[in-house]
Amino acid sequence: MTDTVLQPSHRGTEESAIVAALGARAIVLVGMMGAGKSTIGRRLAARLHLPFRDADNEIEAAHAGMTIPEIFATHGEPYFRDGEARVIARLLNGGASVLATGGGAFQREETRRRVRDGAVSIWLNADADTILRRVKRRSDRPLLQTADPAATIQRLIAERSPNYQLADITIASREVPHEKIVDECVAALHGRLRPAAPPLQQDQSP
């Protein structure tokens, strides 16, 4: 399906300023599984009238439609992570967009460097209870196929948070309407990307 991108005249003032400041860079959403990266990413892309891309979907498409759990089971996690890094590198070179990444993608230093150099990153920070509540009924999370998913989530949060904290922007992902989270993303992006006001000229008159 072809991405539809509206012209700048259809954007609000904040949104237009964000897109102008982005140039060819992407907005990259990082965070744990269940943090809402795909859900919020689609809505943020719609607000900014930018293409939305999901790294996991792109990986599945590159493997003839194999699901992420099938890729894990067939080839193992290291193989998946190598492919994930290549897919994200390609997507980052695809111009301005909103990109949702998998929960482990930002743990690779190479990917963090590419995101730092060619994108603006947002960490959707969800607590363990929120994540467990959102993912416990799903079977498509290979890292949670354990005897104690709650403990696994706590461990992954502890391992991954130091790298998530390196993102440019942090937004709390919680049980509020999705549009509120999108509003907070837009406000934070605008605050980070807008040009700094020129310094006031001091009166030089005697």
Side-chain angles (χ1 to χ4, degrees):
M1 184 175 65
T2 303
D3 293 310
T4 300
V5 182
L6 274 66
Q7 296 303 310
S9 59
H10 295 275
R11 300 184 179 113
T13 302
E14 277 191 333
E15 290 83 355
S16 293
I18 290 168
V19 173
L22 276 176
R25 292 180 292 171
I27 297 168
V28 177
L29 301 182
V30 305
M32 283 286 293
M33 64 189 84
K37 300 183 295 293
S38 295
T39 301
I40 299 303
R42 286 189 185 91
R43 288 166 169 77
L44 179 60
R47 176 79 71 85
L48 297 175
H49 304 302
L50 291 175
F52 171 73
R53 299 185 174 103
D54 186 297
D56 282 352
N57 290 348
E58 296 283 340
I59 293 166
E60 290 177 345
H63 286 81
M66 289 178 69
T67 65
I68 299 299
E70 288 170 346
I71 297 170
F72 263 75
T74 303
H75 300 290
E77 184 175 1
Y79 171 92
F80 172 81
R81 296 301 176 195
D82 288 344
E84 179 180 54
R86 289 193 298 271
V87 165
I88 290 173
R90 172 173 58 80
L91 294 174
L92 288 175
N93 287 328
S97 65
V98 177
L99 170 60
T101 62
F106 211 55
Q107 303 312 298
R108 182 172 285 224
E109 193 280 333
E110 170 192 5
T111 296
R112 292 197 303 275
R113 176 180 54 77
R114 285 196 170 107
V115 171
R116 181 187 68 236
D117 293 345
V120 179
S121 52
I122 300 176
W123 174 26
L124 292 182
N125 181 15
D127 62 35
D129 289 342
T130 299
I131 293 169
L132 182 61
R133 188 163 55 249
R134 291 175 179 175
V135 304
K136 64 182 178 181
R137 294 185 178 89
R138 299 182 59 171
S139 60
D140 61 344
R141 307 291 186 176
L143 294 182
L144 292 187
Q145 305 310 306
T146 64
D148 190 349
T152 302
I153 289 170
Q154 293 280 9
R155 175 180 60 79
L156 289 171
I157 289 174
E159 290 174 355
R160 293 175 173 181
S161 289
N163 285 326
Y164 291 151
Q165 290 169 6
L166 299 175
D168 298 315
I169 293 167
T170 299
I171 300 292
S173 177
R174 61 227 189 261
E175 301 304 334
V176 297
H178 293 142
E179 286 307 313
K180 179 171 177 56
I181 304 295
V182 174
D183 287 343
E184 293 175 4
C185 289
V186 168
L189 286 164
H190 187 252
R192 182 175 182 86
L193 294 173
R194 65 185 175 187
L200 293 175
Q201 297 294 319
Q202 293 185 346
D203 187 356
Q204 301 295 325
S205 59

